[in-house]
Amino acid sequence: MIVISVVSLKGGVGKTTVTLGLAGAALRRGVRVLVLDLDPQSNASTVLDPDAAALTAADVLDQARSGAVAAAAVPSGWGADVRVVVSETSLSAREAAGDRDPLRLRRALGRLDAGYADGSPAPALVLLDCPPALGHLTRNALAASDRALVVTEPALFALHGAAQALDAVEAVRQGSNLRLAAAGIVVNRVRPRSAEHRHRLGELREAFPELLLEPPVLDRSALQQAAGAYLPVQALRSPGAREAAAAFDAHLTHLLGTDLGSGPLAGRSSRKAGRR
Ligand SMILES: Nc1ncnc2c1ncn2[C@@H]1O[C@H](COP(=O)(O)OP(=O)(O)OP(=O)(O)O)[C@@H](O)[C@H]1O
Ligand SMILES: [Mg+2]
């Protein structure tokens, strides 16, 4: 089981879209996946259209005990192999409360690798969709993760934002989770005809040659249509949908190929995780 946080410094760059794209790619391949929605806006929970959930991500963080995630995950409307721990608006109170314990979610993920509380097999992939801030919730996500996936748009401060996000990952790695490393940077909403976008994409490729995931995800209305229909983009048939599906499939291959044995604790990741 690999746990991946999807993070960004800025809001609205596509964390949820990338999380859902990866979940859809996993569904296609028969890879069991759990999406844990840590954003009080609940966008991922809404699109995944799950069965009624008795427990939410807020309960999971309140309980902070082993087995809490396994008990809170419910099947999504996408299929039984895509489960979700839904968000709720009260998570924003937790973000504001100034709780300093970054290990609540890590404890709550305990025993998930033995399967869900209803006896279904464990997910192979856990995606943590984070809110657009590096606050308590994102720190909890990073402290519970094997890898962090940074999402950015090809815009003016993208380089700076990606570097800051990687620094935040490194800070959590040193502070509370030595196995954490950056899994890559996804550039989202690229318009290939825009000279500005090509320029920013080039900058990102140059600055992060090992981390930038190819291909970038293009700006395609299919992604909005899929979300509006509560469907994975992989279920749509338009050329834009197929393009997006191919990008997410490539990124999923990269993420699932992550060798957790060669992470920071094996002594070779400071290069990857911190770019230093
Ligand atoms: N590649 C894309 N092409 C077209 N629209 C996109 C693309 N990526 C994201 N969007 C749209 O942009 C909006 C913001 O995307 P999304 O919700 O994924 O961002 P986010 O980073 O999760 O936002 P937040 O920080 O608020 O959680 C959504 O309406 C989404 O449908
Ligand atoms: Mg989001």
Side-chain angles (χ1 to χ4, degrees):
M1 189 174 89
I2 178 167
V3 182
I4 299 177
S5 286
V6 183
V7 298
S8 73
L9 225 53
K10 260 185 67 174
V13 298
K15 291 175 295 301
T16 300
T17 300
V18 167
T19 302
L20 295 174
L22 291 170
L27 172 66
R28 271 240 154 141
R29 280 200 207 174
V31 171
R32 284 185 307 279
V33 59
L34 168 64
V35 174
L36 206 148
D37 186 356
L38 282 170
D39 187 345
Q41 299 176 100
S42 298
N43 297 341
S45 306
T46 303
V47 179
L48 285 166
D49 193 24
D51 296 356
L55 297 166
T56 70
D59 299 314
V60 162
L61 288 168
D62 281 340
Q63 296 172 359
R65 60 166 175 77
S66 185
V69 169
V74 292
S76 75
W78 293 11
D81 280 352
V82 181
R83 297 213 172 199
V84 55
V85 174
V86 299
S87 168
E88 65 171 301
T89 47
S90 75
L91 271 180
S92 57
R94 175 166 279 290
E95 184 84 329
D99 183 339
R100 293 265 169 266
D101 181 0
L103 299 182
R104 291 180 164 274
L105 185 57
R106 190 199 294 186
R107 291 198 291 276
L109 277 163
R111 292 211 310 267
L112 179 62
D113 54 1
Y116 293 109
D118 66 5
S120 314
L125 174 66
V126 180
L127 297 169
L128 309 179
D129 186 18
C130 292
L134 297 170
H136 171 69
L137 295 169
T138 299
R139 278 199 302 276
N140 256 271
L142 289 172
S145 293
D146 302 297
R147 293 294 182 265
L149 186 64
V150 173
V151 181
T152 185
E153 286 184 338
L156 179 56
F157 296 114
L159 207 59
H160 186 61
Q164 268 186 296
L166 291 170
D167 285 345
V169 169
E170 180 61 14
V172 172
R173 189 181 84 77
Q174 287 176 17
S176 51
N177 180 10
L178 283 174
R179 71 171 196 273
L180 180 66
I185 300 171
V186 176
V187 190
N188 183 39
R189 291 201 92 155
V190 172
R191 293 195 303 276
R193 285 179 197 212
S194 154
E196 166 71 6
H197 280 197
R198 288 200 304 273
H199 171 69
R200 297 299 167 196
L201 188 57
E203 272 185 348
L204 286 159
R205 282 190 175 124
E206 201 171 307
F208 307 107
E210 291 184 25
L211 283 177
L212 201 97
L213 299 190
E214 303 282 0
V217 180
L218 304 186
D219 188 56
R220 292 290 181 254
S221 57
L223 287 156
Q224 290 161 24
Q225 284 159 10
Y230 310 106
L231 288 172
V233 72
Q234 288 81 0
L236 304 190
R237 292 278 153 255
S238 65
R242 280 203 293 270
E243 233 167 24
F248 292 128
D249 197 59
H251 300 164
L252 181 70
T253 299
H254 168 78
L255 295 171
L256 292 179
T258 301
D259 178 3
L260 295 179
S262 70
L265 290 178
R268 49 162 281 221
S269 74
S270 26
R271 183 171 55 95
K272 275 209 147 182
R275 300 162 294 116
R276 293 181 183 99

